[in-house]
Each structure stands twice: as structure tokens, then as C-alpha cells.
Amino acid sequence: MELPTQTFRVTRADLVRYAGASGDFNPIHWSDRVATGVGLPGVIAHGMFTMALVGRALTGWAGAPDAVVDYNVRFARPVVVPDDDQGTEIEVSAVVREVTEEGLTRLDVTATCQGEKVLSQARATVRTPA
């Protein structure tokens, strides 16, 4: 069974807000000059911000934040965020891999940006809604 795709827009303003909340003011998350100077294609979203957006999708599917029992990812590629009002989009989808006798649902999760996977080995376990 496939869960409905959720789409999250990410703008430079979101990156600034996340930097303030997380304390991660690394200039690769706000300066094109620095980002391209270290070999990146441009300013990139914080990996943990990307992971948090996927977590938001998981809590939506599960019905509550405390229904997410386990969640793991590997970062596959950066989410490049252009310096415009539109930003970019992260699309999150998931497929049910297993429903256990204990009432847990194991999910294989996919997150893409511009058609490219940004996370690999993304898996979650959620309590199955009653």
C-alpha cells in the first residue's frame, strides 16, 4: 500500500528560520558565494531540516507525533534552495512494507527534490492507527 505524497515548499526564508531555531548558521545554508566556493551547486537546506519535513509527513500519516516509534535516514544529496520567492519542493512518499502483529507499521520512505532522491535508506515504524 502506498501512502499519499506530501509536498513541502522550502525557501531561503525557511532556512533562516531553521538556522535561528537550530543554531546552525553555517554559511552554506545562506550564502551562494560560500556554498559554491566549497563545491556545492548553491545554498543547501540543512539536512536535519529536510529530515524534519519528512518527519512531519510521517506524523501526518500516523495521526500523531507520538505514533512515530522509529525513524532513520541517510542523506543522499543536498536540497539546493534557489534565491527566489518560490524556493524548491520536497516530495515525500511512503510504501507500507509490513504491518506487525504488535500493531506497528513499517514504512519505506522516499524524499525527492527536483526528481532526485535526497534521502536513502529512509525507513520508519509507526503505531498503526486503531
Side-chain angles (χ1 to χ4, degrees), residues 4 6 8 15 20 24 50 59 71 79 81 94 109 116-117:
Q6 295 190 42
F8 300 94
L15 302 185
D24 181 353
T50 302
T59 62
Y71 171 39
V79 173
V81 181
V109 182
E116 300 283 340
K117 277 189 176 186

Side-chain angles (χ1 to χ4, degrees), residues 10-12 15-16 18 24 26-32 35-36 38-47 49-50 77-82 88:
V10 179
T11 66
R12 294 274 179 102
L15 302 185
V16 170
Y18 185 82
D24 181 353
N26 187 322
I28 64 172
H29 302 304
W30 54 267
S31 169
D32 280 306
T36 57
V38 297
L40 293 167
V43 165
I44 62 170
H46 304 74
F49 180 59
T50 302
R77 68 179 23 181
V79 173
V80 179
V81 181
T88 193

Side-chain angles (χ1 to χ4, degrees), residues 6 53-64 68 70-71 92 94 107 109 123-124 126:
Q6 295 190 42
L53 292 175
V54 175
R56 185 185 297 173
L58 292 170
T59 62
W61 291 321
V68 178
D70 188 43
Y71 171 39
V92 184
L107 302 171
V109 182
R123 294 185 180 94
V126 298

